[in-house]
Amino acid sequence: MEAACFAAVAAAGTTWTLTRRWLVTKAGGIPSGASARRRERKAERYARAVDRRRAKGREKRRQLADLKRRAREEGTDGMTEEEAAQLQSNAARSSRERRSEATELEALVAGSRLTILVNCAYDCNTARERQSLAHQLMGVYAANKRNRSRSPAQVVVWLPAPEVEGKLRDKGAGNWPAFRIVPREGAAATDAAAAAATAAEAAAASEAAAAAAAGVVVGDAGVKDRAAAAAADGVQGAAALAGSEWVRESPGRVVILTPDSEVELDRVEDGDVFVIGGIVDRSVRRGQTLRTALDLGVRHARLPIARALASEGEELAVGSVLNVDTVAEAIMRRKAGDEWPAILSELVPKRIRAKAAKKPAKKRGEGKDTDGGEWEDADA
Ligand SMILES: C[S@@+](CC[C@H](N)C(=O)[O-])C[C@H]1O[C@@H](n2cnc3c(N)ncnc32)[C@H](O)[C@@H]1O
């Protein structure tokens, strides 16, 4: 009898598994007549409901496992189900927010008249410095986001080294709004390579001029070598930038920012293109970007750090060297109309001021604090 009943259930196409006990107690024997057919239909409905519930459970477990796997990858293992659900909803929300932020920044930048170009064509950075440069470039993007409502800028990363570019792209920089990477490929790369090849030769020919521009007294062999290296870097930076649309089409708008300039920057005008050296010199080589400006024949300027901080009652040496992202943010804030003392007292790191107060200025050419200039730690 039981076997016959099992066969009947299977024939009805149900996929559920009935226990012998259930059949005996619920079906109560061989189904026959109208009431038996009702019981059969009821059993089928029940089986379908069970199937649906089980499928739902399977899907939920699959989603949870998926979330946990992703959480493990993101380093947030050990979450409760609620936390996992929260993570999922946060992820959805932040991707929505990211999309709307990107749109907002694009819209603002469309009306922007400020370009900040980081010239990364210098090959003087060590591997560690290149890592640091990539972080600073991310900092430039973050600064642009912070200041977007007041002075959005178009940021251009000019000919970064492959590993710098790779690190940025890994972080999604290829899709960041108002952040354009011009890679070392095609014509631009050829120019950069040609510049690199001729740099040493050009530097040798103009070593004395470069040293003078950098304010270095030639005589000591080490100082001479550094001046020659800085000159070679400057020439390389100039050659790589010479082919850019800004230098070709509107050289009058280009301002190379360099701590070694005699000229103090005051205003940031509409349409200006500020060029920052993509250099992280843990041991400062003076005059690299000044040499680039002199070679290109474009304007150059330094941030008025000493004067701005003096007006706030602080003393700091002229020629202080800041990180790329700090300089970029200073320009954005000046464009927004902030005054230099307010900008620089906020952005110049305290340790530079502390060092300046503690240490007497070193003599020219003595490593990183040359010419009394102080140095912002690139990794900080
Ligand atoms: C770490 S610095 C590298 C300094 C490098 N030795 C040079 O000759 O430019 C990175 C870049 O930030 C900008 N920068 C840093 N400090 C600056 C200052 N006080 N005034 C203007 N630009 C500055 C320059 O464009 C510089 O190339």
Side-chain angles (χ1 to χ4, degrees):
M1 178 185 79
E2 287 173 18
C5 193
F6 273 120
V9 169
T14 56
T15 56
W16 57 303
T17 53
L18 293 172
T19 63
R20 292 160 66 99
R21 185 151 173 225
W22 190 93
L23 275 170
V24 171
T25 54
K26 294 278 179 184
I30 301 170
S32 69
S35 66
R37 278 198 298 279
R38 260 202 311 281
R39 275 201 296 277
E40 242 176 57
R41 281 200 295 277
K42 193 173 168 192
E44 280 168 18
R45 277 201 303 279
Y46 179 76
R48 279 198 293 273
V50 169
D51 276 350
R52 275 199 300 276
R53 238 189 353 258
R54 282 182 182 164
K56 237 174 164 177
R58 268 199 305 277
E59 176 59 16
K60 207 169 165 192
R61 280 196 297 281
R62 194 195 57 73
Q63 280 179 2
L64 191 63
D66 197 36
L67 265 174
K68 286 195 170 166
R69 182 186 49 74
R70 278 175 33 212
R72 261 197 308 281
E73 284 164 11
E74 289 164 22
T76 49
D77 200 3
M79 290 183 305
T80 63
E81 275 191 38
E82 289 74 32
E83 287 165 341
Q86 187 63 45
L87 178 83
Q88 192 179 33
S89 95
N90 286 351
R93 200 179 51 231
S94 62
S95 96
R96 263 199 314 277
E97 275 165 9
R98 271 200 299 276
R99 272 200 304 278
S100 87
E101 267 178 11
T103 318
E104 190 190 341
L105 189 52
E106 285 292 8
L108 288 165
V109 167
S112 155
R113 304 273 297 125
L114 171 64
T115 303
I116 293 181
L117 182 147
V118 185
N119 183 5
C120 299
Y122 301 93
D123 278 334
C124 53
N125 291 322
T126 62
R128 192 171 162 205
E129 289 168 345
R130 287 194 287 276
Q131 293 295 311
S132 184
L133 177 60
H135 279 115
Q136 291 185 35
L137 291 166
M138 293 174 208
V140 175
Y141 175 65
N144 204 18
K145 273 173 71 177
R146 270 196 298 281
N147 291 285
R148 67 183 163 213
S149 57
R150 303 176 67 222
S151 57
Q154 181 68 53
V155 175
V156 181
V157 176
W158 186 253
L159 310 187
E163 58 203 284
V164 174
E165 184 185 348
K167 201 162 174 88
L168 287 173
R169 292 202 188 276
D170 283 352
K171 294 283 173 190
N175 297 320
W176 290 347
F179 193 91
R180 181 176 151 206
I181 302 174
V182 180
R184 293 186 181 193
E185 280 164 7
T190 312
D191 287 350
T198 57
E201 199 185 311
S206 59
E207 184 185 318
V216 176
V217 180
V218 179
D220 163 67
V223 174
K224 215 169 159 183
D225 286 351
R226 269 201 300 278
D233 295 336
V235 170
Q236 183 187 34
L241 202 57
S244 73
E245 63 198 76
W246 300 276
V247 172
R248 272 191 287 109
E249 290 163 22
S250 42
R253 301 260 49 142
V254 175
V255 183
I256 297 215
L257 292 167
T258 169
D260 297 306
S261 178
E262 306 257 296
V263 183
E264 265 187 5
L265 181 66
D266 182 10
R267 292 158 62 90
V268 170
E269 308 283 358
D270 256 8
D272 278 348
V273 178
F274 287 93
V275 179
I276 301 175
I279 301 170
V280 180
D281 42 5
R282 298 191 65 78
S283 170
V284 169
R285 279 162 297 214
R286 297 187 61 84
Q288 292 161 304
T289 45
L290 178 61
R291 178 57 200 263
T292 299
L294 295 174
D295 259 29
L296 289 172
V298 298
R299 288 187 290 160
H300 52 82
R302 70 164 193 268
L303 300 183
I305 303 174
R307 195 143 65 91
L309 294 186
S311 75
E312 298 277 289
E314 288 194 61
E315 254 183 62
L316 198 65
V318 168
S320 299
V321 182
L322 303 179
N323 285 351
V324 170
D325 49 341
T326 311
V327 175
E329 183 153 19
I331 297 294
M332 291 168 192
R333 293 204 27 198
R334 183 65 182 141
K335 177 76 168 66
D338 290 355
E339 297 296 334
W340 284 121
I343 299 169
L344 294 169
S345 61
E346 205 179 297
L347 293 181
V348 172
K350 289 209 169 38
R351 64 190 169 282
I352 287 190
R353 304 168 191 187
K355 271 198 268 175
K358 266 194 255 147
K359 281 203 273 176
K362 287 184 178 179
K363 274 200 254 152
R364 285 178 174 173
E366 275 188 7
K368 65 184 183 182
D369 294 337
T370 52
D371 199 18
E374 295 293 336
W375 180 67
E376 181 183 4
D377 186 346
D379 286 337

